[in-house]
Amino acid sequence: MRTGSEPVTARSALRARFWLSLWGLVWAVFGTAAFALAGRFGWALACGVLWLVATVDLLIVLRHIRQGPHYQPGRNIPPYRPPDG
């Protein structure tokens, strides 16, 4: 039996996820271009897929950051109360 409410009310470190997504996006773009120029189209395709995944993750993170303290709480936002039941 679970004693805490962490899985239900967990909060993501959105700023860290933003920077990691941005870092991955930069490297995926670089890898796609470098492998395409080198004639390694299989690797360029793999980096292109990674580019797409990093872009989608970055957009989701930015959406959650814009939604305010519900998704990006500050020090003055108290923790969520555990769900009843």
Side-chain angles (χ1 to χ4, degrees):
M1 180 169 174
R2 188 171 59 95
T3 60
S5 63
E6 291 78 19
V8 177
T9 60
R11 297 177 185 176
S12 176
L14 291 176
R15 286 184 198 99
R17 221 173 116 191
F18 169 78
W19 289 111
L20 288 171
S21 292
L22 196 60
W23 181 253
L25 183 69
V26 168
W27 277 105
V29 169
F30 174 74
T32 303
F35 283 123
L37 290 174
R40 303 285 212 157
F41 296 109
W43 284 103
L45 180 63
C47 286
V49 170
L50 186 60
W51 181 357
L52 179 66
V53 169
T55 302
V56 169
D57 185 48
L58 189 63
L59 291 173
I60 290 171
V61 169
L62 286 173
R63 179 176 172 261
H64 284 205
I65 287 173
R66 285 191 197 125
Q67 286 180 337
H70 179 72
Y71 285 100
Q72 187 63 29
R75 295 176 193 255
N76 58 347
I77 305 296
Y80 296 126
R81 299 190 69 220
D84 296 330

